[in-house]
Amino acid sequence: MAIYLDHAATTPIHPDVKEVMLPFLDEWFGNPSSIHQYGRTVRMAIDRAREQVASALNADPARIIFTSGGTEADNFALLGVAAAYSEQGKNHIITSQIEHHAVLDACKYLERIGFDVTYIPVNHQGRIETEALKQAINSKTALISVMYGNNEVGTLQPIEEIGNLARDRGVLFHTDAVQAFGIEEIDVNGLPVDLLTISSHKINGPKGSGALYLSKNVKIVPRLFGGSQERRKRPGTENVPGIVGFGKAAEITASVRAEHRKQMCLLRKALLKELDQERVHYVVNGDLEYSLPHICNLSFPGTDTETLLMNLDLEGIACASGSACTSGTLEVSHVLEAMHLSDEVTRSAIRFSFGRGNTVEEMKETAKKTAQIVRRLMKES
Ligand SMILES: *Cc1c(COP(=O)(O)O)cnc(C)c1O
């Protein structure tokens, strides 16, 4: 059996999630906007899912907008806020150099249509330089978008500090919490965030389902038009099985989060310890203290990412080079590039990302096989 260590790309569906979804692929097929009993049953299920998702963030259910996933929620946050605030002459947005492409590419588009975007640099650990962010805020700044935890290296950002900075200056704050949602306790009432993105398939829910949390004071222009669903902010007949599954996944996540985090720390520790025992030279990319423990980005200087991944795959170990969206191309990771690591390190980086079901035994096997491969490649070169 292969070992799956690519949970930052996607996770398997939890059996309980699958079970609650099945009736909605079968007898409960109604349109939630219909007033007859077929519709009403489904409407109730969506309401329940909204409560489950909201509860996992300590949010008011009315502040949750269901979307087709993290990508759409990020795009909605960036483009929707930009459209709303440019009407007041605010056409400046601040983000970081290490965001997911759902944020970065939305920003590139905004630049093409006349917005100014500042991309804040990060340090060698992938932490944003808050001083640079402070300097970047001006009277035209509408929004700051900085991710909660990075999907390639796992580094956590000083979300509270950034949010407070934004609040002091009257600027909205969006955070992509897709990777953090399953690991960190997130309380939107305590955190100074105005918009927050989450995705279902990164927490053992189905793909094609996600949400944007929107606080009360946010003005946002819809990206879609045509119906009254999701408070007219995201019209279209709802992805009912996806939403119901997301609700259940969020409920499970919230109830096991602390335990899950502990388990992820254990796995990462085990992997690194085994690699140490194998006496293979590696470099940790990111920050071991201030990080999401399910993401472990390592470099093996003297080898290269592609060859490593191919060999690991042959040995039955599925991991990645960073973001799934850029793998398949030889492009260097924009995250590692922004961290200004040496070329050797950047070109030999791989990401192990853990999740539900992974075991310490698997970490041992992974470390052994990785060490074998690295030794072989070093001999060959
Ligand atoms: C996966 C991911 C996304 C995209 O979410 P989808 O639901 O796959 O569209 C956005 N941001 C981060 C940090 C991610 O890891």
Side-chain angles (χ1 to χ4, degrees):
M1 210 25 209
I3 300 177
Y4 185 76
L5 299 178
D6 201 10
H7 290 84
T10 196
T11 59
I13 294 189
H14 190 294
D16 296 353
V17 169
K18 179 182 165 185
E19 196 174 303
V20 300
M21 289 174 71
L22 288 176
F24 296 92
L25 298 167
D26 199 2
E27 72 264 35
W28 297 341
F29 63 85
N31 186 322
S33 297
S34 302
I35 55 161
H36 47 62
Q37 57 176 321
Y38 289 88
R40 284 198 312 271
T41 313
V42 174
R43 167 61 53 205
M44 272 163 54
I46 291 183
D47 289 346
R48 166 123 182 80
R50 198 184 307 282
E51 280 165 18
Q52 289 167 315
V53 169
S55 168
L57 295 170
N58 196 25
D60 175 351
R63 316 312 323 165
I64 300 296
I65 306 286
F66 284 122
T67 66
S68 66
T71 300
E72 186 192 325
D74 280 345
N75 274 265
F76 185 23
L78 272 287
L79 305 181
V81 165
Y85 289 81
S86 68
E87 288 165 9
Q88 310 171 5
K90 291 194 170 185
N91 65 351
H92 178 231
I93 286 174
I94 301 173
T95 188
S96 84
Q97 294 180 354
I98 58 153
E99 296 301 306
H100 190 274
H101 279 111
V103 167
L104 283 181
D105 291 357
C107 286
K108 299 238 174 72
Y109 167 71
L110 285 171
E111 283 187 285
R112 282 205 301 279
I113 62 169
F115 285 83
D116 285 326
V117 181
T118 306
Y119 300 88
I120 304 297
V122 296
N123 66 14
H124 294 308
Q125 282 74 44
R127 286 260 284 178
I128 189 169
E129 291 170 6
T130 44
E131 202 44 49
L133 185 128
K134 209 184 280 179
Q135 301 299 323
I137 302 174
N138 65 46
S139 60
K140 301 220 156 149
T141 310
L143 177 73
I144 296 172
S145 180
V146 174
M147 72 201 316
Y148 202 119
N150 184 265
N151 51 300
E152 291 192 36
V153 293
T155 305
L156 287 165
Q157 299 302 332
I159 292 307
E160 213 163 331
E161 188 185 344
I162 298 169
N164 285 327
L165 252 168
R167 221 150 256 191
D168 284 350
R169 304 288 297 270
V171 175
L172 292 177
F173 177 42
H174 165 249
T175 189
D176 175 336
V178 170
Q179 292 294 340
F181 187 41
I183 302 277
E184 297 287 310
E185 300 290 340
I186 300 177
D187 173 357
V188 290
N189 280 323
L191 268 185
V193 299
D194 302 294
L195 305 97
L196 181 140
T197 294
I198 49 179
S199 171
S200 156
H201 76 104
K202 306 289 175 79
I203 58 157
N204 302 103
K207 294 167 185 58
S209 186
L212 182 65
Y213 158 80
L214 273 180
S215 76
K216 233 179 197 144
N217 54 328
V218 175
K219 286 200 245 337
I220 195 160
V221 176
R223 307 312 302 157
L224 300 170
F225 301 91
S228 60
Q229 294 93 345
E230 301 301 302
R231 292 189 290 127
R232 291 200 170 275
K233 289 188 163 55
R234 204 282 188 175
T237 303
E238 295 88 340
N239 169 10
V240 179
I243 289 171
V244 168
F246 185 22
K248 186 67 187 173
E251 182 188 81
I252 296 170
T253 274
S255 69
V256 301
R257 201 145 41 191
E259 195 50 46
H260 182 69
R261 186 179 214 288
K262 245 192 246 162
Q263 176 68 6
M264 298 301 104
C265 287
L266 200 82
L267 293 177
R268 182 173 67 181
K269 223 168 139 186
L271 178 66
L272 297 180
K273 187 174 150 215
E274 288 296 322
L275 284 171
D276 287 339
Q277 281 175 359
E278 291 288 336
R279 298 177 177 283
V280 58
H281 175 53
Y282 67 88
V283 177
V284 178
N285 301 315
D287 191 326
L288 281 180
E289 295 273 307
Y290 208 67
S291 70
L292 296 169
H294 70 298
I295 296 177
C296 185
N297 193 305
L298 304 177
S299 289
F300 298 90
T303 68
D304 75 277
T305 302
E306 255 218 316
T307 316
L308 274 173
L309 289 180
M310 263 169 38
N311 281 279
L312 282 163
D313 187 33
L314 285 173
E315 295 282 349
I317 295 164
C319 53
S321 62
S323 58
C325 323
T326 44
S327 57
T329 66
L330 277 166
E331 221 172 289
V332 171
S333 148
H334 68 286
V335 175
L336 298 176
E337 207 157 53
M339 287 161 64
H340 294 292
L341 308 172
S342 74
D343 237 32
E344 252 206 329
V345 167
T346 301
R347 296 194 175 279
S348 63
I350 54 176
R351 178 188 70 185
F352 299 99
S353 54
F354 323 124
R356 184 177 181 275
N358 283 142
T359 63
V360 168
E361 263 327 294
E362 289 179 329
M363 298 302 117
K364 288 184 181 165
E365 189 172 338
T366 299
K368 270 201 186 71
K369 290 194 164 152
T370 305
Q372 274 167 17
I373 292 166
V374 169
R375 279 193 288 265
R376 191 168 70 226
L377 295 177
M378 299 287 277
K379 230 179 263 164
E380 283 167 11
S381 66

